[in-house]
Amino acid sequence: MPRRGLILHTRTHWLLLGLALLCSLVLFMYLLECAPQTDGNASLPGVIGENYGKEYYQALLQEQEEHYQTRATSLKRQIAQLKQELQEMSEKMRSLQERKNVGANGIGYQSNKEQAPSDLLEFLHSQIDKAEVSIGAKLPSEYGVIPFESFTLMKVFQLEMGLTRHPEEKPVRKDKRDELVEVIEAGLEVINNPDEDDEQEDEEGPLGEKLIFNENDFIEGYYRTERDKGTQYELFFKKADLMEYRHVTLFRPFGPLMKVKSEMIDITRSIINIIVPLAERTEAFVQFMQNFRDVCIHQDKKIHLTVVYFGKEGLSKVKSILESVTRFIKRILAFGEILALE
């Protein structure tokens, strides 16, 4: 009887142990199923090793490669933009240097590019600064002085005429007349509509009205031209009932040289015309015709000679010389045609 109770007690012990193990296993599995996934498992997909294969890693590598290619393309685009900006800055610096050289030399050549209005205005102002308008210039001698010439509404007095009885230009050329009229109108515009920078006050007439100057108030003017810079004008205006003058200084700056055209001229068919005025000096004319025959006829043959003779004495001798030269030319031409036929 005790042996049977011992066997029953042993079976009960093992049964309870098995139930405990079963409950522990079920609880452990429940905890595994309910436990949340950590970030470490998500960032390290290779820890478990069963859910990620070769395709996943290939896709990941391809994605990284595309990202690097996109970044490289963006960097190349930025480098190209920087190179273009650098080239533009170099061109701007080169153009500024060229304009500086133009300002130093007083003359400049324009290529196919046109100057911008601001650049042209800057160049014109530089011409004014270089001219003898506000400051003088050191000259080597009195022959370097550029003289002024005076003018009024009706006359222009030139030094080229000399101290004659009528030193004024008669009649005044149309281009010069139009130029001086334009200058007087510009001077009137400066007086009647002054800028804020002008150091003059608006004067009033006897009735309190604003004084307006016109062409009849122009007294006289002076002008001179510096060939490489421009023309300076000094204008004087005066009202009949005022005891003061209005003085206006204007300057017309010359712009840089501009190419109009460039062409090749064929002179193989050009004819040179020579006109010789002659009076009595037949011996000198004989020597001239000898030189004309040796130089012009023998070498070029494309010469047309016209002799204008004054008087009758010696005219027959001149005609005979010309006729002999004409016969000589005809013989040369005939000989040339024979050679050409052979």
Side-chain angles (χ1 to χ4, degrees), residues 15 60 92 116 128 141 151 162 209 231 266 284-285 305 307 322 334:
L15 180 62
L60 185 62
K92 289 182 180 179
I128 298 177
S141 64
F151 65 95
E209 74 280 3
T231 303
D266 184 12
F285 183 69
L305 176 64
V307 180
L322 292 175

Side-chain angles (χ1 to χ4, degrees), residues 305-333:
L305 176 64
T306 302
V307 180
V308 181
Y309 193 83
F310 297 90
K312 296 182 179 179
E313 185 179 356
L315 179 60
S316 58
K317 186 176 181 180
V318 171
K319 286 184 177 180
S320 63
I321 294 173
L322 292 175
E323 290 175 356
S324 63
V325 173
T326 303
R327 290 193 297 269
F328 177 75
I329 294 174
K330 290 181 178 179
R331 287 198 299 269
I332 290 179
L333 293 177

Side-chain angles (χ1 to χ4, degrees), residues 67-176:
H67 173 72
Y68 290 133
Q69 288 180 355
T70 304
R71 180 63 176 169
T73 304
S74 177
L75 291 176
K76 289 180 180 179
R77 189 183 304 110
Q78 293 179 6
I79 292 173
Q81 291 177 356
L82 290 175
K83 287 183 178 180
Q84 185 177 0
E85 293 178 0
L86 181 61
Q87 184 177 2
E88 292 177 357
M89 290 297 296
S90 301
E91 292 178 356
K92 289 182 180 179
M93 292 296 294
R94 191 181 302 110
S95 62
L96 289 175
Q97 186 66 28
E98 290 177 356
R99 288 199 298 271
K100 183 177 179 181
N101 295 334
V102 167
N105 298 330
I107 192 171
Y109 293 94
Q110 284 189 339
S111 58
N112 295 331
K113 298 181 179 179
E114 297 181 355
Q115 286 186 335
S118 60
D119 299 338
L120 181 58
L121 186 61
E122 180 182 354
F123 175 79
L124 296 179
H125 279 295
S126 67
Q127 292 286 80
I128 298 177
D129 296 336
K130 291 182 296 183
E132 296 183 45
V133 179
S134 56
I135 57 175
K138 186 176 181 180
L139 301 175
S141 64
E142 66 273 16
Y143 298 102
V145 177
I146 302 176
F148 281 94
E149 297 178 350
S150 62
F151 65 95
T152 62
L153 285 176
M154 304 300 297
K155 298 180 181 179
V156 176
F157 300 92
Q158 292 183 328
L159 294 178
E160 298 176 355
M161 297 293 184
L163 299 178
T164 60
R165 295 181 59 186
H166 302 286
E168 70 271 11
E169 182 180 354
K170 290 183 178 180
V172 181
R173 295 199 317 267
K174 182 180 182 302
D175 58 338
K176 185 177 294 185

